[in-house]
Amino acid sequence: RKEVEQDPGPFNVPEGATVAFNCTYSNSASQSFFWYRQDCRKEPKLLMSVYSSGNEDGRFTAQLNRASQYISLLIRDSKLSDSATYLCVVNSYGNNRLAFGKGNQVVVIP
Amino acid sequence: NAGVTQTPKFQVLKTGQSMTLQCAQDMNHEYMSWYRQDPGMGLRLIHYSVGAGITDQGEVPNGYNVSRSTTEDFPLRLLSAAPSQTSVYFCASSLGGTGSNEQYFGPGTRLTVT
């Protein structure tokens, strides 16, 4: 089983709609969780950290479910500028290694 | 601050050639790392460093060397390029370990080995 699994999509989303996707991780001892955003042919950039209590940043909401070992990202009122690949990232090896998922590709359609 | 810079942006090598990918950061970050990104795969860690003079292997270290003589610089050396090393290489840095610290990525180097 891969460290971090994501359904690559693409997720075609009408502008203004809500889209949500999950990411599963295999190591139950994982401590830190993140969502990064990567635009086409660009470097990844941190979107948000995921806390046990869940967190929200504007139109973006992230949740952590430790019992089922997944994290989720929800995007409300999708904008064209939200089109990107969203990478699920888990700190699985301790303090110095991150495991990256393949990413969820989101395409927001006018 | 320039953040994390990488050179070159693009490179084409012939099989067997060696080269060094440069990475520098001006944020005084202790932790630096190199990843490769291939189509259909997530980023994979090649090597990382927790501070000047200290390096360690990641998930896919074979065929690559690193050194960390200063806090700012973390070059990645390809010893004898192979077509399997065709990839996009990202350098990243963070203030401390990866446990809770944001990773800042450079713009990447697109390498083709023929």
Side-chain angles (χ1 to χ4, degrees):
Chain A
R1 184 178 173 187
K2 290 190 174 61
E3 289 283 341
V4 179
E5 298 209 52
Q6 293 182 259
D7 175 1
F11 294 79
N12 295 317
V13 186
E15 193 174 5
T18 295
V19 61
F21 32 82
N22 294 338
C23 153
T24 58
Y25 60 94
S26 61
N27 186 345
S28 60
S30 298
Q31 295 296 317
S32 304
F33 309 88
F34 311 91
W35 284 103
Y36 276 71
R37 172 189 168 131
Q38 186 173 25
D39 292 298
C40 187
R41 300 181 70 79
K42 298 286 190 181
E43 70 272 24
K45 292 183 180 177
L46 180 67
L47 177 67
M48 58 200 308
S49 301
V50 187
Y51 305 120
S52 296
S53 55
N55 49 310
E56 188 172 311
D57 183 3
R59 298 180 292 107
F60 296 83
T61 300
Q63 297 281 350
L64 167 63
N65 185 317
R66 284 194 182 273
S68 301
Q69 293 183 210
Y70 73 86
I71 66 173
S72 64
L73 181 67
L74 182 145
I75 307 173
R76 286 184 299 277
D77 187 22
S78 297
K79 311 291 184 193
L80 296 177
S81 57
D82 294 334
S83 296
T85 296
Y86 293 85
L87 305 176
C88 173
V89 184
V90 178
N91 176 232
S92 285
Y93 297 101
N95 282 333
N96 293 318
R97 290 189 178 189
L98 295 173
F100 286 77
K102 296 180 185 180
N104 299 112
Q105 185 187 5
V106 171
V107 179
V108 181
I109 304 164
Chain B
N1 287 352
V4 180
T5 57
Q6 291 183 238
T7 56
K9 285 189 167 46
F10 302 93
Q11 182 70 50
V12 179
L13 290 178
K14 289 187 166 59
T15 296
Q17 287 184 314
S18 63
M19 80 159 293
T20 299
L21 307 186
Q22 301 293 344
C23 173
Q25 51 89 13
D26 61 358
M27 298 175 282
N28 203 30
H29 284 173
E30 289 296 321
Y31 182 86
M32 296 186 74
S33 53
W34 276 102
Y35 295 89
R36 60 178 289 173
Q37 186 173 36
D38 301 295
M41 304 189 73
L43 276 79
R44 292 182 291 169
L45 182 65
I46 304 172
H47 285 285
Y48 66 97
S49 168
V50 299
I54 306 168
T55 63
D56 206 347
Q57 296 182 346
E59 182 186 353
V60 287
N62 292 342
Y64 307 94
N65 273 354
V66 291
S67 59
R68 185 92 183 271
S69 56
T70 66
T71 299
E72 294 77 21
D73 300 296
F74 191 44
L76 177 73
R77 182 165 179 82
L78 278 69
L79 308 172
S80 176
S84 60
Q85 293 179 304
T86 293
S87 188
V88 181
Y89 291 85
F90 289 103
C91 178
S93 74
S94 66
L95 192 58
T98 60
S100 59
N101 290 287
E102 178 178 358
Q103 296 269 298
Y104 293 84
F105 286 84
T109 294
R110 283 163 177 75
L111 175 68
T112 302
V113 183
T114 61

